[in-house]
Amino acid sequence: MPKEAERGDWRADLRASIRDLPTLCRRLDLDPTQIAAGKRAAASFALCAPHAWMELIEPGNPDDPLLRQILPTTEETRIQATFGPDPVGDRHAEQTPGLLCKYPGRALLLVTGACALHCRYCFRRCFPFATSLNHRDRALSAIRAIAARPDINEVILSGGDPLLLNDHSLDWLLRALDGIGHLKRIRLHSRIPIALPSRVDDNLRALLTGGRLPRVLVVQTNHPHELGEAASAALTRLRADGITLLNQSVLLHGVNASPEILQTLSERLFALGVLPYYLHLLDRVTGSAHFAVPLATCVKVVEQLRARLPGYLMPRVVAEQPGASSKTPLEHVQRQQQERPDQGSRSRARNRLANRRARV
Ligand SMILES: *Cc1c(COP(=O)(O)O)cnc(C)c1O
Ligand code: SF4
């Protein structure tokens, strides 16, 4: 058992995260007018970035791809038609508080609203976590619901970031899931190995490797610069523990919408034992319009990427559409656009309907 002091390390790292614009600008040698500019955006979704992330940003470069992912800007507060608070219909898919069942066989459990890194494009930035949180009784009712559904064979722990749970809660949750006979896999969706690599300590590794069910960890990396020394070491350790590692990315304007960058990302991930899983088109959540890549550009980038990579390093390019029974492949999105150029307004209407349902 590691010593108490050692155990506290990642919590200290989390507490020491940068959480305000003046500190961020000072630390990165940025123009202080940025401070005033992003203040309103930061009031609705706070800035938060651990030092492990900050260290990978190039000082003095306002266009740094890692900075762009976390920097609150005025662009977020503009009115954005076709962008809404629940672009993927999550609220409509809630079975018990925090348990989303959208796709056959899989249930997604939102175990916490907290994240180590606050990504400005996050589709759950508007999710009402206050009502979906992991108080033990909420988790219990989710576990009971899963136990009563033999058709569910995989549980996905998500959030927020499930690896921000303390060891005790995570252990309890994983054991409870290990005890449900009809489950075949536990999947965790987490950005922690990248955003707060010190969390991947011996205790966490023991927790993740101990149980009956195979663990699949899907991390999120959008740019090769995110894979610094600490993150790389964390991933290598997890892989050595026999955990299946996959990566998802979001295609983001000003961050990674280039075949060169995405090629490098896939190759770097492979070298660390991580296979590319999904490349998501942006979910149109309020405040994220400045990250949107036009569909024609997405198609071009993806075509060029496909030509550059062996098939097994090519992520599946998908969008999430409310009401669909799986993620939607890019080719389908493209076809929908060609067949129904008014698709945008239809999905807006559907979103409005879903939002109205969520309120009653
Ligand atoms: C994305 C998602 C899943 C997982 O989908 P896979 O295609 O299996 O990765 C499951 N449930 C919900 C609600 C999701 O949004
Ligand atoms: S880590 Fe994931 S859930 Fe958390 S803010 Fe970033 S994208 Fe959203």
Side-chain angles (χ1 to χ4, degrees):
M1 230 10 197
K3 292 187 293 288
E4 198 59 39
E6 217 172 293
R7 249 192 258 166
D9 279 355
W10 68 270
R11 299 201 159 273
D13 288 349
L14 187 63
R15 273 196 302 276
S17 299
I18 301 277
R19 291 171 202 275
D20 68 277
L21 277 164
T23 313
L24 178 101
C25 289
R26 252 196 326 274
R27 160 114 190 221
L28 292 176
D29 216 3
L30 292 173
D31 179 354
T33 52
Q34 288 282 4
I35 299 173
K39 221 169 145 190
R40 244 183 79 207
S44 68
F45 183 47
L47 161 71
C48 183
H51 284 281
W53 183 270
M54 297 293 298
E55 275 162 17
L56 302 171
I57 299 176
E58 183 192 358
N61 177 10
D63 298 323
D64 182 280
L66 274 60
L67 177 66
R68 265 186 71 84
Q69 294 181 57
I70 57 146
L71 185 69
T73 64
T74 43
E75 288 155 307
E76 291 178 35
T77 45
R78 289 197 197 116
I79 303 282
Q80 301 158 330
T82 82
F83 285 69
D86 183 22
V88 299
D90 267 357
R91 292 175 208 185
H92 188 49
E94 241 178 332
Q95 298 267 312
T96 69
L99 185 70
L100 306 181
C101 297
K102 275 190 189 172
Y103 306 148
R106 287 145 291 170
L108 185 143
L109 185 55
L110 302 169
V111 297
T112 169
C115 282
L117 189 75
H118 288 189
C119 315
R120 307 312 297 179
Y121 54 83
C122 179
F123 72 102
R124 294 224 176 93
R125 58 181 283 169
C126 300
F127 196 85
F129 278 109
T131 58
S132 309
L133 277 181
N134 160 60
H135 301 303
R136 189 61 68 92
D137 48 348
R138 286 183 194 281
L140 258 178
S141 72
I143 300 265
R144 281 199 198 104
I146 296 165
R149 288 267 310 263
D151 59 307
I152 295 175
N153 57 42
E154 175 169 348
V155 171
I156 302 165
L157 302 182
S158 182
D161 201 310
L163 293 185
L164 272 193
L165 288 186
N166 63 38
D167 290 345
H168 182 73
S169 303
L170 192 59
D171 189 38
W172 176 85
L173 189 58
L174 292 172
R175 275 168 200 272
L177 293 171
D178 274 329
I180 300 177
H182 57 260
L183 291 182
K184 296 195 178 117
R185 295 171 296 276
I186 301 178
R187 192 193 322 179
L188 296 102
H189 283 185
S190 170
R191 219 178 180 198
I192 285 288
I194 316 297
L196 192 72
S198 56
R199 173 70 180 105
V200 184
D201 57 13
D202 291 346
N203 284 326
L204 181 73
R205 292 172 66 191
L207 259 173
L208 289 179
T209 44
R212 174 182 77 93
L213 295 164
R215 274 48 161 160
V216 179
L217 179 59
V218 184
V219 297
Q220 186 200 139
T221 321
N222 298 317
H223 192 283
H225 289 180
E226 293 169 41
L227 299 165
E229 253 175 61
S232 301
L235 291 170
T236 307
R237 283 197 296 272
L238 291 163
R239 188 65 205 111
D241 291 338
I243 295 168
T244 300
L245 297 177
L246 303 171
N247 181 69
Q248 45 187 346
S249 309
V250 184
L251 191 63
L252 299 167
H253 173 74
V255 175
N256 63 3
S258 115
E260 290 82 9
I261 292 171
L262 292 169
Q263 178 191 3
T264 309
L265 178 61
S266 273
E267 288 176 345
R268 283 276 296 133
L269 285 164
F270 178 74
L272 297 168
V274 187
L275 284 176
Y277 181 38
Y278 279 142
L279 174 61
H280 294 271
L281 305 187
L282 183 75
D283 295 313
R284 300 172 83 80
V285 69
T286 311
S288 69
H290 57 297
F291 288 111
V293 180
L295 190 63
T297 313
C298 296
V299 171
K300 215 180 298 161
V301 168
V302 167
E303 250 170 37
Q304 291 176 15
L305 183 64
R306 208 184 297 281
R308 286 163 172 261
L309 284 172
Y312 60 92
L313 292 188
M314 182 68 200
R316 299 152 182 83
V317 188
V318 294
E320 187 159 346
Q321 300 187 329
S325 58
S326 70
K327 310 284 185 231
T328 309
L330 173 64
E331 302 73 62
H332 290 205
V333 178
Q334 220 182 333
R335 213 172 309 137
Q336 285 168 354
Q337 283 256 324
Q338 283 157 0
E339 284 164 11
R340 295 177 295 179
D342 66 329
Q343 172 68 19
S345 59
R346 275 190 206 192
S347 68
R348 269 198 303 284
R350 206 161 42 209
N351 267 345
R352 270 199 303 276
L353 185 64
N355 290 339
R356 199 155 53 229
R357 280 196 200 118
R359 275 198 296 273
V360 291

